[in-house]
Amino acid sequence: MMSSKPSPTLLRRQLGAELRRLREGARKTAADVASELQWSESKVSRIETANSSVRNPDLTKLFELYKTPEVDRSRITALAAQSRQRAWWEAYGDALLGAYETMIGFESEASDVFIFDAVILHGLLQTVEYAGAIINSVSVGERPDVVNQRVSVRMARQAVLTRDPPPKIWAILDEAVLKRPVGGGDVMKRQLMRLLEIADRPTVTLQMVPFDRGAHRGIDGAFTILEFAGETELPLVYCDGMTGGVFRNRPEEVRRYLVAFESLRTVALSHAETLEYIQRAIREYE
């Protein structure tokens, strides 16, 4: 079982929210802070959005600028210290892009994961063979040890599926995801069989959007929506890309993805129909 201890990534997000609250309470913009502390505005943004940790000297400067009460200083300083602890995936830092590393932290804490896959399967659903085929195809020129580390991280991420309690996962796949024989027929057959195993869990829902549905709300590409149990932890969206992923966390952006996901649910096959489709696809490889 995975530990229930919050990940450093989630703790950084809580820390960022606290510092943003202090800044807004002091009636200062991020530009004001950057100017007064002679920082870049992007540094302020990275701290408040959990993309960067904050060291104690910088934290002290923020406290002084915001005229933070001592009781809050002690609590937030302790939170900052916890957020700087290393998580398991940080040992693979050389092999991971920054946004992906951050996403793993959020994923490990999410209570609900809503996935739309347009071309390949989401990392939580992949077999090691399928993952190896994908990562090797996009890692031309990389050292073999780096490629192997990326495969290992992808497999280690799947420990979240057996967390207590496990997250609820709702995955919607374009038919192209199930048609593309990644790694060859044998690898794809075993991948489809693995999908059936995962989909048999009570916390997992799987749907497929057939080709005959035409254009749909996910036509622009894959995305993952992460929701959290804590009332103060707002949902966020992660979109992967060739040179790294990006997060969408502004409420209006997240709302658009939620609406898109709801639309995809209505045009996709049901969970039962999707499993029947996968079973037929498996037989085609026999």
Side-chain angles (χ1 to χ4, degrees):
M1 294 294 182
M2 291 182 64
S3 169
S4 60
K5 181 181 179 181
S7 74
T9 304
L10 191 64
L11 292 171
R12 281 200 297 269
R13 196 179 190 209
Q14 294 172 353
L15 174 63
E18 290 276 11
L19 294 175
R20 183 169 59 251
R21 177 183 62 80
L22 292 177
R23 175 175 59 76
E24 291 172 347
R27 298 185 178 181
K28 293 183 182 293
T29 66
D32 293 334
V33 175
S35 176
E36 295 186 50
L37 296 182
Q38 296 184 327
W39 292 354
S40 66
E41 193 170 342
S42 64
K43 177 176 178 176
V44 180
S45 176
R46 288 196 305 273
I47 291 171
E48 292 188 357
T49 57
N51 286 306
S52 177
S53 60
V54 57
R55 300 185 66 81
N56 283 345
D58 286 341
L59 197 58
T60 298
K61 291 177 182 178
L62 291 172
F63 288 155
E64 292 174 354
L65 184 62
Y66 301 152
K67 295 180 173 55
T68 307
E70 188 59 40
V71 63
D72 286 336
R73 292 190 184 206
S74 299
R75 177 176 55 81
I76 295 173
T77 298
L79 178 59
Q82 290 179 295
S83 74
R84 289 194 292 269
Q85 295 175 1
R86 286 172 62 84
W88 65 262
W89 55 86
E90 294 184 59
Y92 298 91
D94 292 343
L96 306 179
L97 296 172
Y100 178 59
E101 188 174 341
T102 302
M103 186 281 298
I104 294 173
F106 287 138
E107 182 182 75
S108 71
E109 296 290 339
S111 59
D112 296 84
V113 182
F114 301 97
I115 298 164
F116 172 67
D117 289 329
V119 180
I120 61 171
L121 282 168
H122 191 274
L124 292 180
L125 308 176
Q126 296 177 8
T127 63
V128 65
E129 295 172 302
Y130 184 101
I134 291 295
I135 291 172
N136 274 286
S137 70
V138 300
S139 301
V140 177
E142 291 280 9
R143 301 194 318 269
D145 62 310
V146 171
V147 174
N148 291 337
Q149 284 182 333
R150 289 175 179 167
V151 175
S152 296
V153 169
R154 188 159 299 182
M155 293 300 100
R157 280 172 53 195
Q158 296 182 9
V160 74
L161 298 175
T162 56
R163 191 185 70 201
D164 186 19
K168 294 179 181 178
I169 296 177
W170 196 309
I172 301 178
L173 317 175
D174 189 276
E175 187 171 359
V177 177
L178 300 178
K179 283 288 190 181
R180 188 179 306 278
V182 172
D186 289 342
V187 170
M188 194 62 191
K189 177 183 177 181
R190 287 189 285 272
Q191 175 62 77
L192 294 174
M193 293 172 67
R194 173 61 176 162
L195 264 185
L196 290 181
E197 292 175 8
I198 294 174
D200 192 47
R201 303 179 186 210
T203 54
V204 176
T205 301
L206 194 63
Q207 290 186 268
M208 184 200 74
V209 182
F211 288 139
D212 63 16
R213 299 296 195 265
H216 53 68
R217 291 292 294 270
I219 207 74
D220 285 339
F223 60 88
T224 301
I225 304 170
L226 302 173
E227 293 188 346
F228 305 90
E231 294 182 3
T232 60
E233 297 299 325
L234 300 177
L236 55 82
V237 177
Y238 179 74
C239 303
D240 210 350
M242 188 176 296
T243 57
V246 294
F247 288 100
R248 309 292 184 192
N249 54 16
R250 292 202 296 268
E252 63 273 18
E253 292 178 323
V254 174
R255 192 176 305 112
R256 288 187 65 178
Y257 282 97
L258 287 169
V259 170
F261 194 85
E262 185 61 33
S263 174
L264 288 164
R265 285 168 58 174
T266 62
V267 301
L269 299 180
S270 69
H271 179 79
E273 291 169 331
T274 298
L275 299 192
E276 290 174 1
Y277 177 97
I278 293 174
Q279 290 166 344
R280 291 195 300 271
I282 291 171
R283 288 195 291 270
E284 291 177 6
Y285 287 110
E286 294 176 349

